[in-house]
Amino acid sequence: MAADDRTSLTSFLDYQRATLAMKCRGTTGEQLRRRAVPTSALTLLGLVRHAASIERSWFRFALDGEDVEPLWGGAAGGRDAEFRVEDADADEAFAAWEEECARSRAVVSSFASLDDTVERGGVTISLRYVLTHMIEEYARHNGHADLLREAIDGAVGE
């Protein structure tokens, strides 16, 4: 509770990552693919695949400048392909997400300062912005995961 900004931001992001993993722990592949809220197409597995995609996009593409292809369906997969999970393999999705998180941590460690920036498409992006954005992204989707998990089997908790 008393750390520098970099440690605080990376710790909060890791906490959010761990929260998503915890929300999925103990479920079956069928449960992970289940649309548990009738008015929504969201699934736990879709959220995991989305997390892998945003890790890849923000850290490898935006910050590191790596030319990366979309994980789910390639360029032909279209927008939000990660959320279409009817035939998706849960083990593959979790492995991809874990790999992208590890790669993201490596990108973060390559920056000397939170205030270091890169230029992408005429936009200046700082490491601080990306870390803050990712915390927000995970926190929002962890709220979704919480509701989905409760609807699946009643499991609740942070």
Side-chain angles (χ1 to χ4, degrees):
M1 296 180 105
D4 61 77
D5 287 351
R6 186 185 195 111
T7 302
S8 293
L9 290 172
T10 56
S11 294
F12 271 110
L13 180 53
D14 279 337
Y15 177 80
Q16 293 297 327
R17 290 169 173 148
T19 299
L20 180 58
M22 184 268 300
K23 290 295 170 187
C24 297
R25 195 169 296 121
T27 56
T28 66
E30 185 277 324
Q31 288 173 317
L32 289 167
R33 287 186 292 277
R34 185 181 302 164
R35 293 180 174 184
V37 176
T39 57
S40 174
L42 286 179
T43 65
L44 289 172
L45 189 56
L47 292 175
V48 169
R49 287 166 43 118
H50 179 64
S53 293
I54 62 173
E55 292 273 354
R56 186 179 185 92
S57 174
W58 279 105
F59 291 99
R60 291 177 62 188
F61 176 73
L63 284 180
D64 207 32
E66 189 177 339
D67 186 20
V68 292
E69 291 292 321
L71 284 168
W72 317 114
R79 182 168 165 75
D80 299 330
E82 64 262 29
F83 290 110
R84 293 191 296 276
V85 299
E86 296 78 18
D87 299 319
D89 181 277
D91 291 335
E92 174 190 39
F94 278 93
W97 177 46
E98 290 165 6
E99 171 65 21
E100 291 303 329
C101 289
R103 305 264 318 244
S104 296
R105 288 182 189 98
V107 170
V108 169
S109 70
S110 74
F111 281 74
S113 167
L114 291 174
D115 298 319
D116 286 352
T117 61
V118 296
E119 296 287 328
R120 296 287 177 254
V123 176
T124 302
I125 305 167
S126 72
L127 175 59
R128 181 186 307 278
Y129 173 82
V130 172
L131 288 170
T132 303
H133 173 71
M134 291 297 291
I135 292 165
E136 177 274 330
E137 181 88 15
Y138 270 98
R140 181 167 26 96
H141 289 312
N142 282 339
H144 299 137
D146 194 39
L147 292 172
L148 290 168
R149 182 63 188 262
E150 187 173 4
I152 289 169
D153 65 3
V156 295
E158 202 168 343

